[in-house]
């Protein structure tokens, strides 16, 4: 963590978190515009967020996706929009 450059941190945050936010925002706007609104949006997350070494930025953003998912789910209820998260396993190195 002490060797991570701020620019590298920001790149990971922009890719993993901001990218997921923008994608979800677009999906929610589309679902709200439908008649009737809904039905659901899914975030996909690998289990590296729970067990990755030397990856503070990666792990932090993947945990943030869980919060983003919960917020979308709560905010979407009034519009019949559900949001869930699928934690996908990672393949072990060869």
């Amino acid at each position: 963590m002490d060797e991570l450059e701020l620019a590298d941190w920001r790149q990971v945050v922009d890719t993993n978190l901001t990218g997921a936010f923008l994608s979800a925002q677009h999906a929610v706007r589309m679902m709200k515009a439908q008649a009737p609104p809904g039905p659901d949006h899914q975030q996909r997350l690998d289990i590296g967020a729970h067990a990755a070494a030397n990856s503070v930025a990666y792990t932090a953003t993947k945990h943030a996706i869980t919060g983003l998912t919960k917020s979308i789910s709560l905010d979407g209820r009034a519009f019949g929009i559900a949001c869930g998260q699928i934690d996908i396993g990672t393949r072990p190195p060869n």
Side-chain angles (χ1 to χ4, degrees):
M1 169 170 190
D2 60 316
E3 296 176 10
L4 180 65
E5 297 291 331
L6 181 57
D8 294 332
W9 168 269
R10 288 184 173 153
Q11 182 179 9
V12 174
V13 170
D14 283 348
T15 300
N16 292 350
L17 185 55
T18 305
F21 165 77
L22 293 172
S23 174
Q25 184 182 52
H26 181 70
V28 168
R29 285 179 178 159
M30 287 178 57
M31 287 184 275
K32 283 176 73 174
Q34 296 178 140
D40 68 359
H41 175 72
Q42 295 180 357
Q43 306 280 25
R44 287 173 174 75
L45 179 68
D46 65 68
I47 61 170
H50 303 286
N54 299 320
S55 59
V56 66
Y58 178 83
T59 301
T61 58
K62 295 303 182 171
H63 279 272
I65 296 287
T66 299
L68 177 65
T69 301
K70 289 178 181 181
S71 294
I72 294 167
S73 185
L74 290 171
D75 293 348
R77 283 182 184 177
F79 305 98
I81 297 170
C83 183
Q85 179 174 312
I86 300 171
D87 292 336
I88 300 169
T90 56
R91 291 174 36 175
N94 294 333

